[in-house]
Amino acid sequence: MQRAVLSALGGAARAPPCRWLSAAPPALRELRELRARTGQPVLRCREALERAGGDLRQAEAWLEAESRRRGWARAVAPGAPRAREGLVGVLSEGSAAAMVEVNCETDFVARTPEFQQLVEMAARGVLGHCQGAAGTKHLLREDELAQLRVGDKGDLLSDHLALAMGRLGERLSLCRAGWLRAPGGFVATYTHGWVPPGPPVAMGTYGALVACGGPGPGPPPAELRELGRRVAQHVVGLAPTALGTPEDELGGDGETRLLAQGALLEPGVPLGRYLRDRGGLQVWDFLRFQCGEEPPEEPPRDPPASPA
């Protein structure tokens, strides 16, 4: 028996080296390609290839299915603490603009191109939803965001979220979104944070939308549009919760009405008077997001003024 075993081992040892090594390079190439395509860890890619019998397409399909299943389950796990890092994304088109907040667990992930692509996809989906909806203002909850159809194939945003979670290895969430429309006017936007500005979706840790109009009919001039951007910057900096009226007197340090707050560039003058004295820019409504804050259930706001 021992002689037979030694003979078998000896025969294997004398086999040409190419017979033992020829299968290794293709497997390694497939592993590298699958990792590059999906961004999944090496061990998970190896498991996918083993399950698929080495077929790259089947392995990629299995990884996507697992990412959807496991990633989405992690997102809705009961009792899981809310992820508070992430980004606010702002996108405008014509007389409308949309703003979204997508959260992750670390700012490292928020800085990755894949996470930022998810924020951009969400912003585009919300703006598309806005264009087909009625009204001038609307807020979307997480469950509403998840059901938006996005991308070239019209997949659910929740599916893209699950895939991103599988690839990035962190729990992500679609926190909230909103849009403003300004018929006869424009929506000024502003974002603040560490993300370099780059069209078309602006991103940061703070964002604001302000529905504005000029003193008369017709498109407002460039200087009023720039003034609108400064109002959006004011909204980010001073965090008002109500609109107020252009006739409001200057409030104190705790003033929460936008038009009664001291103008950011001239604190001794209420913002309503500041705008009236500089061309008559009208402010109809606004929306402000701060990444990681606890969104109010019913955001307090005055009824928007009627566009001129």
Side-chain angles (χ1 to χ4, degrees):
M1 175 66 76
Q2 289 179 340
R3 188 174 298 171
V5 172
L6 289 173
S7 176
L9 290 174
R14 289 191 296 272
C18 61
R19 180 179 174 186
W20 295 91
L21 299 177
S22 60
L28 184 59
R29 284 198 297 269
E30 290 162 0
L31 186 61
R32 287 175 177 169
E33 185 173 351
L34 186 60
R35 173 123 167 73
R37 282 188 187 183
T38 65
Q40 297 280 4
V42 172
L43 291 179
R44 199 174 296 167
C45 290
R46 182 178 297 165
E47 179 186 358
L49 285 168
E50 289 173 355
R51 287 175 176 270
D55 186 289
L56 194 60
R57 289 186 178 180
Q58 290 185 20
E60 186 174 1
W62 181 84
L63 279 174
E64 288 201 0
E66 286 296 289
S67 294
R68 292 174 193 268
R69 183 174 67 84
R70 297 184 181 184
W72 189 241
R74 288 176 62 193
V76 298
R82 182 187 160 204
R84 294 187 178 273
E85 298 293 337
L87 287 171
V88 172
V90 170
L91 177 64
S92 61
E93 183 178 301
S95 61
M99 184 162 58
V100 301
E101 179 185 350
V102 183
N103 295 130
C104 56
E105 294 179 292
T106 64
D107 66 346
F108 173 80
V109 161
R111 295 173 187 270
T112 62
E114 180 154 7
F115 181 82
Q116 294 176 15
Q117 287 168 9
L118 180 65
V119 176
E120 178 174 348
M121 187 177 296
R124 290 185 181 278
V126 173
L127 187 61
H129 175 75
C130 158
Q131 303 290 13
T136 57
K137 183 176 187 177
H138 188 65
L139 297 176
L140 288 84
R141 302 183 307 270
E142 183 175 357
D143 57 339
E144 295 174 304
L145 270 174
Q147 297 304 310
L148 291 182
R149 299 281 179 177
V150 297
D152 296 335
K153 298 180 180 179
D155 295 328
L156 289 174
L157 185 55
S158 60
D159 288 342
H160 289 279
L161 179 79
L163 288 171
M165 278 192 283
R167 290 169 180 163
L168 294 170
E170 269 196 17
R171 185 167 45 85
L172 314 178
S173 64
L174 303 166
C175 179
R176 55 179 169 167
W179 51 261
L180 284 182
R181 186 185 287 120
F186 66 99
V187 179
T189 66
Y190 180 76
T191 58
H192 179 81
W194 43 263
V195 181
V201 177
M203 300 183 196
T205 49
Y206 296 82
L209 310 179
V210 181
C212 303
E223 55 268 24
L224 282 190
R225 287 185 172 272
E226 171 59 22
L227 190 56
R229 189 193 70 82
R230 292 181 184 177
V231 174
Q233 186 179 22
H234 174 112
V235 169
V236 164
L238 296 185
T241 59
L243 181 60
T245 71
E247 292 74 31
D248 287 337
E249 295 297 326
L250 181 66
D253 292 341
E255 179 60 64
T256 59
R257 294 169 298 163
L258 172 63
L259 297 177
Q261 292 178 327
L264 199 62
L265 298 179
E266 199 170 331
V269 177
L271 182 62
R273 188 194 311 164
Y274 181 88
L275 298 178
R276 186 180 61 214
D277 293 345
R278 285 162 178 78
L281 180 73
Q282 299 181 38
V283 176
W284 298 331
D285 209 342
F286 69 92
L287 187 60
R288 178 187 186 272
F289 285 177
Q290 177 180 341
C291 188
E293 70 181 349
E294 198 66 40
E297 292 185 7
E298 295 290 338
R301 61 183 186 271
D302 294 340
S306 299

